[in-house]
Amino acid sequence: FAGGFVPEAMPESRGRGLVFREKPRPGRMDQDALAVYRIEEGDYKNVTESVREGKRLEEGNYLIAAIQHANPSPWYGGHWYVDLLHPGVTDKFLEITMDAYQREIGDQFGKRVPGVFTDEPHLAPAGGLHWTDDLPEAFEARWGYSLLDHLPALVHETGDWRRVRHNYFQLLLELFVERWAKPYYEYCEQHDLEFTGHYWEHGWPGAGSAPDNMAMYAWHQRPAIDILFNQYSEGTQAQFGNVRAVIELASVANQLGRRTLCETYGGSGWDARFEDLKRIGDWIYVLGVNTLNEHLSHITIRGARKRDYPPSFSYHTPWWDSYHVL
C-alpha cells in the first residue's frame, strides 16, 4: 500500500473480501451482493436471478454471498490495504516506490543497496475470503466451470466442496505469483537487486493470506522468513522454535541454488540479552538461514513506536556500543 500512496493514486485498489450471511428470506440484492443460494438437504441452488427479478421465494435457508471492503486505518496511512490481485496494483506500487529509489540512489543498486525487502504482503485484506473483480472469469477460464455457482462450497461441506476449495486456493496462488511476486522479481532482475522479505509463513495450515508460501519464495532472489519473540515454542504456528517454517525456506533455497534471509529478533523485548540473541541466531543458522536481518532500527521511539516489537538495533539501546561483539 506504500504508506497510503497506492490507495490514493488507485482508489479501485481497495482490498475486497468475500463474506457470507444466512437469512430465512433473501430480501433485495444490494450493490455488494454477489449471489444468493437456497441451501437444502446438503446441497445448494443458485437463485440469484430470481431474486434480481423480484420473485417472491418461499421461506427457507438462504445464503447470501457479498463483497466486504477493507476499512481505512492509521496503520495504512489513513487509507486501506490493497487488493494485490487487482491488475495494475503491483505496477503502481513499483512506480511509486522503486522508481523514486532509482531516481535518488539508483547508482547504488546492487552495491550499497543489494536488494529490497517486502514485509507480509497478503491476501484477504478485508476479512473473509479473498476476492478480486475478475476472479469469476479467471476461475472459469482456469477450471472450466462457474465459481459463482459454487460459492457455498467454500464455507459449507456441501456439493463437491473439496474440489471447489482446492481450485479456488490454487487459482489465488497462481494469480498472487503472476500479479505480485513475478513482476517484482522481474523488476529486481532488471535492476541488479535481490527481492527478499517474507509472507505469512506462520499461518500454516491456513491458506487465506498466502495459499503456498514455498511457491512464493521461488520468486525471491533471496527467499526469506520472519522469526519473532524470545520464547521457544514448537507449536504449529509458533515463531522461534517453528522448525517447519525454516526448513521450508531451506528446501526452496536448496532447490533453486539461492541464499536465504531471516528477519529476526522482532518482539524479543527491550530486555533481550546477548545470550538470547545468540541462541535465536544459532537456531536459525543451523536450520538453513545464512543471512540474519535484525528487526529493526527505529528512527524514533516516540509514541507507539516504543512498543512496536522492540528491541531497536540503534543508539536507543544501552548496549549499542557493545553490539558489534555479537
Side-chain angles (χ1 to χ4, degrees):
F1 63 98
F5 286 106
V6 172
E8 196 170 79
M10 279 185 81
E12 66 274 22
S13 70
R14 187 172 185 171
R16 297 159 177 79
L18 175 65
V19 294
F20 297 86
R21 55 183 183 269
E22 296 188 19
K23 289 185 175 182
R25 287 191 187 276
R28 294 182 178 179
M29 296 278 288
D30 61 37
Q31 62 179 5
D32 290 326
L34 277 174
V36 180
Y37 309 87
R38 183 176 174 88
I39 309 293
E40 51 188 13
E41 297 180 0
D43 207 351
Y44 50 86
K45 180 182 179 183
N46 190 339
V47 295
T48 307
E49 288 309 311
S50 297
V51 177
R52 288 191 195 281
E53 293 168 4
K55 293 181 179 178
R56 183 171 176 80
L57 301 177
E58 63 184 58
E59 190 168 310
N61 185 18
Y62 291 92
L63 186 70
I64 295 94
I67 299 301
Q68 179 170 278
H69 298 277
N71 290 321
S73 166
W75 190 258
Y76 301 125
H79 292 80
W80 47 76
Y81 200 80
V82 296
D83 170 15
L84 290 173
L85 304 189
H86 186 80
V89 167
T90 301
D91 295 333
K92 180 59 67 176
F93 173 81
L94 293 174
E95 173 192 325
I96 288 171
T97 58
M98 297 310 300
D99 286 2
Y101 286 126
Q102 185 178 1
R103 181 178 66 248
E104 299 295 332
I105 54 171
D107 61 333
Q108 293 298 318
F109 282 6
K111 301 171 187 173
R112 190 173 182 180
V113 182
V116 290
F117 184 97
T118 185
D119 197 49
E120 298 169 355
H122 61 275
L123 305 182
L129 295 165
H130 192 88
W131 191 261
T132 196
D133 287 344
D134 68 340
L135 194 59
E137 293 79 9
F139 189 95
E140 188 148 6
R142 176 69 174 85
W143 301 111
Y145 66 98
S146 168
L147 174 61
L148 289 178
D149 281 344
H150 297 281
L151 290 180
L154 296 178
V155 291
H156 287 284
E157 294 184 1
T158 183
D160 196 0
W161 60 273
R162 289 183 177 87
R163 180 176 72 130
V164 175
R165 292 184 193 185
H166 170 273
N167 293 353
Y168 167 81
F169 284 110
Q170 178 68 31
L171 178 60
L172 289 187
L173 174 64
E174 292 172 4
L175 294 178
F176 203 8
V177 168
E178 288 299 318
R179 297 181 181 181
W180 162 257
K182 193 174 179 181
Y184 209 154
Y185 173 90
E186 290 174 345
Y187 178 96
C188 291
E189 282 285 292
Q190 294 164 10
H191 293 88
D192 197 24
L193 291 167
E194 288 190 336
F195 184 29
T196 189
H198 74 102
Y199 293 89
W200 284 88
E201 63 276 0
H202 302 100
W204 188 89
S209 295
D212 183 347
N213 291 302
M214 292 180 73
M216 305 303 291
Y217 298 156
W219 297 96
H220 276 163
Q221 279 85 358
R222 188 175 293 235
I225 56 171
D226 183 20
I227 293 294
L228 298 173
F229 311 132
N230 186 27
Q231 295 82 33
Y232 186 87
S233 171
E234 296 180 357
T236 303
Q237 297 177 339
Q239 298 269 343
F240 175 37
N242 188 336
V243 172
R244 172 197 54 79
V246 194
I247 291 296
E248 285 182 346
L249 176 71
S251 175
V252 173
N254 289 338
Q255 292 176 60
L256 300 178
R258 306 265 170 85
R259 290 174 61 81
T260 58
L261 180 144
C262 180
E263 176 191 350
T264 318
Y265 303 142
S268 58
W270 289 111
D271 57 345
R273 305 164 299 172
F274 281 10
E275 62 188 275
D276 298 319
L277 304 184
K278 187 174 190 307
R279 178 176 71 140
I280 298 168
D282 286 350
W283 180 81
I284 62 170
Y285 294 147
V286 78
L287 292 174
V289 170
N290 44 47
T291 314
L292 188 150
N293 165 208
E294 296 97 330
H295 173 293
L296 48 71
S297 297
H298 283 301
I299 295 170
T300 172
I301 56 172
R302 183 179 292 120
R305 296 167 184 83
K306 183 177 180 180
R307 295 168 180 81
D308 184 19
Y309 286 73
S312 175
F313 290 84
S314 69
Y315 65 89
H316 299 111
T317 53
W319 42 258
W320 181 241
D321 290 344
S322 302
Y323 181 59
H324 67 93
V325 175
L326 184 64

